[in-house]
Amino acid sequence: MSERFDVIVVGSGAGGGVVAGELADRGRSVLLIEAGPHQTAADYMRWEARATHQIWWPLAFAQPASAAGEPPVALFRGRCVGGTTAINTKVALRPTDQDYDKWHAAAGLVNERGEPFAEGDLITHLECVERRLGVRERSDWQTCVHTAQRGFEALGAELEPVTSYTDANCMRCGSCLQGCPTNAGKSTLNTYIAPALVTGRLQLLADCAVRRVIIEDDGDGPRATGVEYSGADGGRHRVHADVVVVAAGALATPGLLIRSGVREATGGSSSSELIGRHLGFHPARLVEGLFDERQDAHMVYPISAHCMKFQRDEDGGFVVEAATIQDPIAFATALSDEQGRPLWGQELVATMRRYRDFTGLLTMVSDDNRGTAWVDDAGNDRFTFDWSPDDQERIDASLQFAREVLQAAGAKRIFQTGVISTHVQGSCRMGSDPTRSVVNAHGESHDVRGLFVGDGSVVPRTLSVNPSLTIMALASRLAAYLDSGEHGYFTRVAAEAAV
């Protein structure tokens, strides 16, 4: 392996996979480092416990920052080449105008003309990503979705098909969270990384954990010059590059930057002190109804439809998706009754025997980004949440609406989970004001030259939609900027771009 690259990318998910793949396509020398294993469709199977152990990070929890007695929030994310895009439900939605307005208000994010960052600044990258992923509408609904639709219609709310990055080979087998066994589900692995790997344009190190970004002072201030990582052999290794892109996800990127000494290198600048702040959770909850008729919601494309009636903040600030149900282990573990009390004993056994008669909804709330990612004295990542009154009102209202939908659809009994998060965002805000953000509008650290962040942590405020398409588009925008050479960091001319 080469000892020096144009770019080192840490993390291979929605952000890192796109940055690495697009730069490799443009002829740049790229090393992609991933903490998890390199598995493909040939390895995936509908085996919940195996997937949880092999390609998911161990479950993390955000603890309440202030409210005594409030339960923790479970945090889910992928740990494999492709990151969470390899094990998510592939919903592809663009940001709304309100989302962009929030970004500018939160961090002063402006474009090259000094105007508030808006759709026009991202649209070409959104379209590029959509074409590469083959985004399409999913109107091929199954019984469990039509069951839920009855309830929405009864309440005067429309259930619409989602758009997703899945192709026509999707067999609606429900295996999305264990990795797609047919490659019908697109991911950064099979659309950005694999094509560059097979042609030798990209080098990949899987099962390797980056311990720190190497930061040196070259006389003009701190500069990122490479990374130190633990290899599969257990040893520590160093590799150098002109540019380092950290894309370990909104939960892991802040800790890596903190452990790398960014704050110390910058003398505790206001920007560096914001690392890990403003973490958003897009708080979610599964609400599941028991019906007399067979639903088989576990054998379905998991998120086929959504209700956007309450998407805007002034309308409620939440989205409800249908239809979905957890796989049996997670379903049994998280199931709670109408009062939020976990099921156990004979009641749980009896309920699990009716597993095939359940269909469920997923609620997602636009929160105010009051969470924090931090590092404890032992060097471990820690997370806290602190719901605002508006957050709590939206969480409660979304649960109530979902329960009413299922009741109107004919559910005999309704269960729920606690609050969870699969869409963490915003722990290293992108903005044009260093006193309110960690990186600038190009994703580069305000303080450390050559250090970029390219994942969901740069999103200034939690999106009102599933975030993966937006993260990929921002990553595509970053790749274009890096390849332009406008920053002046590259020491070599790019090789011939891929055709």
Side-chain angles (χ1 to χ4, degrees), residues 41-303:
D43 304 297
Y44 300 145
M45 63 178 65
R46 190 72 185 271
W47 187 351
E48 181 185 4
R50 179 177 182 267
T52 301
H53 176 70
Q54 292 188 352
I55 58 177
W56 288 74
W57 279 99
L59 197 59
F61 293 93
Q63 302 293 334
S66 55
E70 190 166 1
V73 174
L75 310 174
F76 298 88
R77 52 186 165 148
R79 182 181 179 273
C80 55
V81 177
T84 305
T85 70
I87 46 85
N88 68 354
T89 57
K90 323 298 183 193
V91 176
L93 301 173
R94 295 181 180 181
T96 66
D97 289 342
Q98 187 173 74
D99 291 326
Y100 289 113
D101 290 343
K102 286 183 178 182
W103 290 6
H104 177 68
L109 182 62
V110 298
N111 60 22
E112 290 79 0
R113 299 177 300 280
E115 304 162 341
F117 192 93
E119 183 181 52
D121 302 299
L122 197 59
I123 188 63
T124 58
H125 301 287
L126 286 164
E127 292 172 344
C128 178
V129 171
E130 287 170 342
R131 284 193 300 271
R132 187 151 183 173
L133 294 174
V135 171
R136 67 182 181 117
E137 183 178 280
R138 294 304 300 260
S139 56
D140 50 334
W141 294 357
Q142 291 169 271
T143 298
C144 58
V145 186
H146 289 292
T147 297
Q149 185 183 28
R150 295 198 305 261
F152 284 99
E153 289 179 344
L155 298 179
E158 183 181 3
L159 193 62
E160 310 168 56
V162 299
T163 51
S164 76
Y165 38 104
T166 56
D167 68 26
N169 292 299
C170 175
M171 297 294 102
R172 301 181 301 182
C173 65
S175 296
C176 297
L177 303 190
Q178 288 89 46
C180 180
T182 66
N183 266 338
K186 302 309 171 186
S187 66
T188 56
L189 168 61
N190 58 24
T191 55
Y192 288 89
I193 298 169
L197 278 178
V198 76
T199 58
R201 301 191 305 272
L202 174 68
Q203 293 195 46
L204 170 68
L205 289 177
D207 289 311
C208 293
V210 172
R211 300 303 178 184
R212 69 182 184 98
V213 177
I214 301 169
I215 300 173
E216 300 174 344
D217 192 326
D218 60 3
D220 291 323
R223 168 84 183 268
T225 61
V227 301
E228 183 178 292
Y229 67 93
S230 297
D233 59 1
R236 289 286 185 107
H237 307 273
R238 284 189 170 200
V239 62
H240 295 274
D242 296 330
V243 166
V244 175
V245 178
V246 177
L251 294 181
T253 287
L256 177 56
L257 296 181
I258 292 169
R259 285 187 290 271
S260 298
V262 170
R263 289 173 177 165
E264 291 77 6
T266 61
S269 69
S270 58
S271 174
S272 68
E273 291 298 326
L274 292 176
I275 295 172
R277 299 285 302 278
H278 308 300
L279 177 64
F281 296 95
H282 212 188
R285 193 195 303 267
L286 287 149
V287 187
E288 292 145 336
L290 177 63
F291 291 81
D292 288 336
E293 309 85 8
R294 255 311 131 77
Q295 300 297 316
D296 283 335
H298 64 297
M299 296 294 290
V300 64
Y301 170 59
I303 301 296

Side-chain angles (χ1 to χ4, degrees), residues 385-399:
F385 69 91
D386 183 19
W387 306 137
S388 69
D390 285 343
D391 291 341
Q392 192 61 60
E393 182 179 342
R394 293 168 189 157
I395 291 170
D396 294 342
S398 65
L399 171 61

Side-chain angles (χ1 to χ4, degrees), residues 15-31:
V18 172
V19 172
E22 289 201 1
L23 285 174
D25 288 346
R26 289 175 164 94
R28 293 296 173 185
S29 170
V30 183
L31 174 64

